[in-house]
Amino acid sequence: MEIRGDTGPAGRPLIIPIFIPHMGCPHQCIFCNQRAITGKAAQTPSPEQIQQEVNRFLKYGKKLPSTTQISFFGGSFLGLEKATILSLLQAALPFVRTNAVDSIRFSTRPDTISQETLGLLEPFAVSTVELGVQSMNDRILDAAGRGHRAADTVIAAGLLKARGYKLGLQMMVGLPEDDDDGAMETAHQIAALRPDFVRIYPTLVLKGSLLAGRLSGGSYHPMALASCVTLVKRLYLFFKSHDIPVVRMGLQASDGLTRANDFIAGPYHPAFGHLVHGEIVFDAISSALDRMEKRPDPLTISAHPSMVSRVQGLNKQNICRLKSAFDIKKIALLQDEYQAKDLLVVAEQQVALP
């Protein structure tokens, strides 16, 4: 059975997550404490547990006008034992056959992709595969303890694209020995692989990780939140200019990072993506104001209702920053449901958002 790409109406897929924490991973990456991320000890979910979880989600989850997928993540799926891979897929397949869900997806390491491992998937309704790329620089991969090379990612992406799978690539910023230029170079190489989507994760220091020891010893310094937001903004705009959707920015509470004691340091924010989008909007408004010979006060900004929170910024920080930077006493924010979402009107001037 072959299903490639989204099979339902247009829209982002509704994901039913099945955790396989830190399983199938032959290496302990310097940033990883998978138990902290998932809050669970490593164990293979049984077919009965998978069935119960999917049924629970289908019963209480809101059905959206999109595809619905069972997603195995938290470990390296194709790094599992063959019998385990087949057992997990066989537990998920009946939900596809009854049309309760549309397809199956998973995340895995680039060096687990081969003609042999992909051959295991052919009888099943797998549509989407995500690769934990992290970096396209071998020196940085070595420093992170990844145990694979950038070339493995290139080969894996080619194999997946050739078989028609929807391809997602995950990258990290703030890894040891990496910097902004290195992150941008990784982005360029990722874009050349033409993925269907990308996720961008900041490097966080988690309790029990090897990076926690580096932090306490003073040999690693995590990125500041503001600097990380600015870098990820650059990455987001780069991928957007290449028509590659960025579907996630930042590790969020919904990813399972729910225990406060597990997080030690790094650019974590529960609304990281909102911070990035807010900065993009701030830049666009600032550029418009810079071009004005005379700035009106009060200043009116019109936006689609769904864009109001981005214009305001988190806790209305954008409004405060604009007032301070341009010496404006009052800003009136107007909502216009007929206005395009990617268009603002700043003092009667149209401003297109990148």
Side-chain angles (χ1 to χ4, degrees):
M1 179 182 296
E2 294 189 8
I3 296 181
R4 302 290 187 261
D6 286 342
T7 58
R12 295 180 65 177
L14 183 63
I15 304 299
I16 301 176
I18 304 294
F19 288 112
I20 50 171
H22 205 64
M23 301 183 66
C25 295
H27 300 275
Q28 174 69 52
C29 298
I30 196 170
F31 52 81
C32 187
N33 175 0
Q34 197 66 28
R35 182 170 182 176
I37 293 176
T38 64
K40 300 179 182 180
Q43 60 179 357
T44 306
S46 68
E48 292 75 21
Q49 289 173 323
I50 293 172
Q51 292 165 8
Q52 291 173 2
E53 180 65 10
V54 175
N55 282 324
R56 182 188 68 82
F57 196 97
L58 292 175
K59 180 178 180 180
Y60 295 105
K62 182 179 179 181
K63 186 68 174 178
L64 301 177
S66 174
T67 57
T68 301
Q69 296 178 310
I70 296 174
S71 174
F72 295 102
F73 68 102
S76 187
F77 189 79
L78 290 183
L80 300 169
E81 294 291 333
K82 178 180 176 180
T84 303
I85 295 173
L86 294 177
S87 175
L88 293 171
L89 292 173
Q90 287 165 354
L93 186 57
F95 293 98
V96 180
R97 288 177 171 165
T98 60
N99 295 318
V101 303
D102 297 287
S103 62
I104 302 166
R105 65 190 291 161
F106 60 80
S107 58
T108 193
R109 291 170 53 92
D111 55 352
T112 65
I113 300 293
S114 67
Q115 295 289 8
E116 180 182 0
T117 56
L118 292 181
L120 296 176
L121 308 180
E122 289 303 318
F124 302 96
V126 175
S127 65
T128 306
V129 178
E130 296 192 41
L131 300 178
V133 175
Q134 319 315 1
S135 174
M136 292 297 288
N137 183 303
D138 286 342
R139 175 177 54 82
I140 295 167
L141 291 173
D142 287 342
R146 288 293 292 168
H148 67 80
R149 321 306 288 166
D152 293 319
T153 296
V154 176
I155 293 170
L159 290 173
L160 290 166
K161 297 285 279 188
R163 287 179 176 247
Y165 289 101
K166 190 171 184 180
L167 173 66
L169 299 180
Q170 304 168 1
M171 68 173 291
M172 294 186 72
V173 298
L175 288 168
E177 300 191 27
D178 201 3
D179 56 20
D180 289 9
D181 290 341
M184 293 305 301
E185 178 58 29
T186 285
H188 278 82
Q189 294 189 48
I190 283 177
L193 300 177
R194 302 308 305 166
D196 295 284
F197 61 92
V198 169
R199 299 180 193 266
I200 306 172
Y201 294 118
T203 300
L204 305 180
V205 182
L206 302 179
K207 182 179 179 181
S209 68
L210 298 175
L211 203 56
R214 293 274 301 273
L215 176 71
S216 62
S219 61
Y220 175 74
H221 303 283
M223 294 187 74
L225 179 61
S227 299
C228 190
V229 168
T230 298
L231 173 58
V232 174
K233 175 188 68 176
R234 290 178 59 197
L235 294 166
Y236 172 88
L237 293 174
F238 169 79
F239 285 122
K240 187 172 183 179
S241 71
H242 287 74
D243 298 318
I244 300 173
V246 178
V247 299
R248 171 63 61 86
M249 295 178 285
L251 190 66
Q252 300 178 0
S254 59
D255 293 309
L257 186 63
T258 55
R259 297 184 298 181
N261 291 338
D262 288 325
F263 171 69
I264 297 176
Y268 171 73
H269 194 285
F272 188 94
H274 183 67
L275 294 177
V276 174
H277 286 296
E279 188 162 314
I280 291 171
V281 172
F282 176 83
D283 290 346
I285 297 173
S286 296
S287 295
L289 293 174
D290 282 333
R291 294 191 297 268
M292 295 180 186
E293 293 184 5
K294 184 177 181 180
R295 303 181 189 102
D297 192 355
L299 172 69
T300 60
I301 301 174
S302 177
H304 187 275
S306 65
M307 296 298 293
V308 167
S309 63
R310 294 184 182 181
V311 174
Q312 291 178 326
L314 193 67
N315 298 321
K316 298 186 177 180
Q317 290 179 354
N318 280 356
I319 300 299
C320 295
R321 291 172 64 193
L322 289 169
K323 288 180 177 180
S324 176
F326 296 97
D327 194 25
I328 297 173
K329 294 181 180 179
K330 184 177 181 181
I331 295 178
L333 181 54
L334 309 178
Q335 299 185 39
D336 183 354
E337 62 180 332
Y338 298 104
Q339 192 166 309
K341 294 181 180 180
D342 60 351
L343 189 69
L344 303 177
V345 177
V346 180
E348 300 183 356
Q349 293 188 22
Q350 292 189 344
V351 178
L353 295 175

